[in-house]
Amino acid sequence: MQRAIAANSEQITRLDARLGTMTGFLTPTIFFRMTLPAQQQAFREGLRAGMPSWFGVAAWGLVVGVAMIKTGLTLWQSLGMTLLVFAGSAQLAALPLIAAGAPVWVIFATALVVNLRFVIFSALLAPHFSGLPWRTRAWLGFLTGDVTVAIFMQRFPDLTPDARKLPYLKGLIYPNWSSWQVGSILGILLGSQIPTSWGLDFAGTLAILCITLPLLMNHATLFGAVVAAIVALLAAHMPYKLGLLLAVIVGMSASMLLASWKESRLKDKS
Amino acid sequence: MSAWEIWLVIALLVLATVISRSTFWLVGDRIKLPAKVQEALRYAPACALAAVIVPDLLSVNGQLQWDWHNPKLFAGIAATVFFLIKKDMLLTIFFGMVIFTCFRLWL
């Protein structure tokens, strides 16, 4: 994600001229009406800031699309899942559980836990938009994923009201959603043409691996994840996949214990 | 899983996404998360993902399989090393699939 942001500034200047004409055409007709030039400009600025991440988002959608259809979901189920859910890591985490026939509520609980990071992100972002009607807020929240939050917070670090914030956010989230869906649908269609014996659903497992690894970059989280993995293995034969939830609770507690232990040691030293 | 159960799962995944993404946008000014809860929230996703993925890598057709005859295990380890060096998600997925396919075909 950081690399994508770093790449932004380089590409912005290069793409500026080309985009100027493109978005000038797109903005009023397809996306929404904006009368004030400052807001229109903010929308285009959002588009440009998000642009370097479009390809990555689409490719990531493609992997999830392939994984869904190769897990055994039908074409319509896969399309329904991508168009309605729009949460890659929760979808990917749900797939092995669907394949294993886990109870529906366990899949729901797992998706909630995997999505918990969005709670933190939305707590950061939502105060910028507290003045808007509730429907708009619910909608914006639903469309706002990881990449968007990072780019937005970099552009508007302060909570001061600014009329450009909303169009800027829309410039980020609309193309992000579209890239995801294009990639995902392409993945579903491609995946349906490829024999199951190729084991392409493994791409989904690798994708979860790639989301998990960057999360493990501090000791407490790494420790908790290792504990959770061990508990999940030991409890693999518990009924209803309950071992998974047990693993999350034990792992989380392990993380917090290690963190508070390290904190108290720091205090002792100082 | 039957067709209607899968649609139920899809509906619940939508709900899980709405709850996690939109709650703060709707009632954020009325809730203040205690520091301890925020901390717990930070650790939970990594634990959940690890708890999903490790048993998945270690099992073949629902049975635990620890040895080198499990292509997922070997490709998973190779992909982990690759990702830690290259830090590139898409390249890692591609690399992991290549290793996985070689193992699947020749071992």
Side-chain angles (χ1 to χ4, degrees):
Chain A
M1 196 191 299
Q2 270 175 347
R3 191 197 283 188
I5 296 166
N8 270 357
S9 46
E10 296 167 26
Q11 298 202 10
I12 283 172
T13 36
R14 232 182 303 142
L15 295 165
D16 211 5
R18 187 150 34 116
L19 251 182
T21 42
M22 195 176 104
T23 55
F25 163 72
L26 280 175
T27 315
T29 50
I30 296 178
F31 288 103
F32 55 104
R33 265 177 300 148
M34 272 184 306
T35 41
L36 295 172
Q39 298 195 351
Q40 220 162 353
Q41 211 177 350
F43 180 81
R44 285 186 210 162
E45 200 192 326
L47 279 184
R48 284 193 295 264
M51 194 174 213
S53 65
W54 294 352
F55 176 76
V57 168
W60 169 234
L62 188 119
V63 172
V64 178
V66 170
M68 283 189 298
I69 198 111
K70 289 292 124 189
T71 303
L73 266 59
T74 63
L75 187 68
W76 286 110
Q77 287 164 347
S78 306
L79 288 173
M81 191 186 256
T82 190
L83 289 169
L84 299 171
V85 182
F86 186 52
S89 44
Q91 285 169 240
L92 285 174
L95 292 177
L97 300 178
I98 291 175
V104 171
W105 69 270
V106 171
I107 304 179
F108 174 61
T110 306
L112 262 184
V113 174
V114 169
N115 274 346
L116 276 179
R117 67 181 193 288
F118 292 129
V119 174
I120 311 239
F121 290 153
S122 63
L124 288 170
L125 205 55
H128 289 268
F129 299 97
S130 54
L132 296 171
W134 72 269
R135 269 184 229 208
T136 316
R137 279 183 281 147
W139 183 237
L140 290 175
F142 182 71
L143 289 180
T144 302
D146 325 36
V147 184
T148 310
V149 177
I151 300 175
F152 184 89
M153 298 300 286
Q154 209 182 33
R155 172 68 181 83
F156 295 105
D158 300 320
L159 273 179
T160 44
D162 190 330
R164 289 170 304 172
K165 281 181 176 176
L166 182 59
Y168 183 82
L169 183 76
K170 287 182 176 172
L172 286 174
I173 59 182
Y174 291 171
N176 182 61
W177 187 87
S178 314
S179 319
W180 169 264
Q181 299 301 358
V182 168
S184 212
I185 291 169
L186 211 64
I188 293 169
L189 298 179
L190 275 177
S192 63
Q193 302 303 314
I194 293 170
T196 309
S197 64
W198 287 23
L200 273 193
D201 54 330
F202 185 60
T205 308
L206 290 170
I208 321 183
L209 185 70
C210 294
I211 326 175
T212 314
L213 289 172
L215 297 175
L216 306 181
M217 291 310 163
N218 70 71
H219 291 134
T221 320
L222 178 62
F223 180 61
V226 170
V227 170
I230 294 171
V231 173
L233 279 177
L234 293 177
H237 293 293
M238 270 174 82
Y240 311 120
K241 286 263 169 190
L242 284 177
L244 176 62
L245 299 180
L246 183 71
V248 174
I249 294 167
V250 176
M252 240 164 75
S253 317
S255 288
M256 293 183 72
L257 277 178
L258 185 70
S260 64
W261 178 73
K262 282 178 88 174
E263 210 171 290
S264 66
R265 248 186 23 157
L266 268 177
K267 271 185 198 148
D268 290 346
K269 274 185 189 165
S270 58
Chain B
M1 220 177 243
S2 62
W4 73 268
E5 271 180 308
I6 290 185
W7 282 109
L8 179 63
V9 166
I10 292 172
L12 288 172
L13 290 181
V14 174
L15 186 64
T17 310
V18 171
I19 291 173
S20 56
R21 289 214 191 117
S22 297
T23 304
F24 257 86
W25 288 72
L26 293 175
V27 292
D29 34 359
R30 271 167 273 163
I31 318 176
K32 185 97 184 71
L33 284 184
K36 273 280 165 207
V37 177
Q38 288 198 26
E39 197 190 335
L41 289 184
R42 267 212 311 279
Y43 298 132
C47 294
L49 292 170
V52 169
I53 197 178
V54 171
D56 188 22
L57 284 175
L58 286 174
S59 57
V60 175
N61 300 325
Q63 296 295 313
L64 281 187
Q65 193 174 340
W66 292 91
D67 54 30
W68 298 113
H69 294 292
N70 175 355
K72 289 200 283 185
L73 177 61
F74 190 81
I77 293 171
T80 302
V81 174
F82 188 90
F83 183 82
L84 293 177
I85 297 167
K86 284 278 179 192
K87 310 263 185 231
D88 186 308
M89 185 181 251
L90 296 172
L91 270 182
T92 305
I93 294 173
F94 183 74
F95 175 79
M97 282 313 292
V98 170
I99 300 278
F100 173 78
T101 306
C102 293
F103 255 72
R104 189 174 60 81
L105 294 177
W106 291 305
L107 281 180

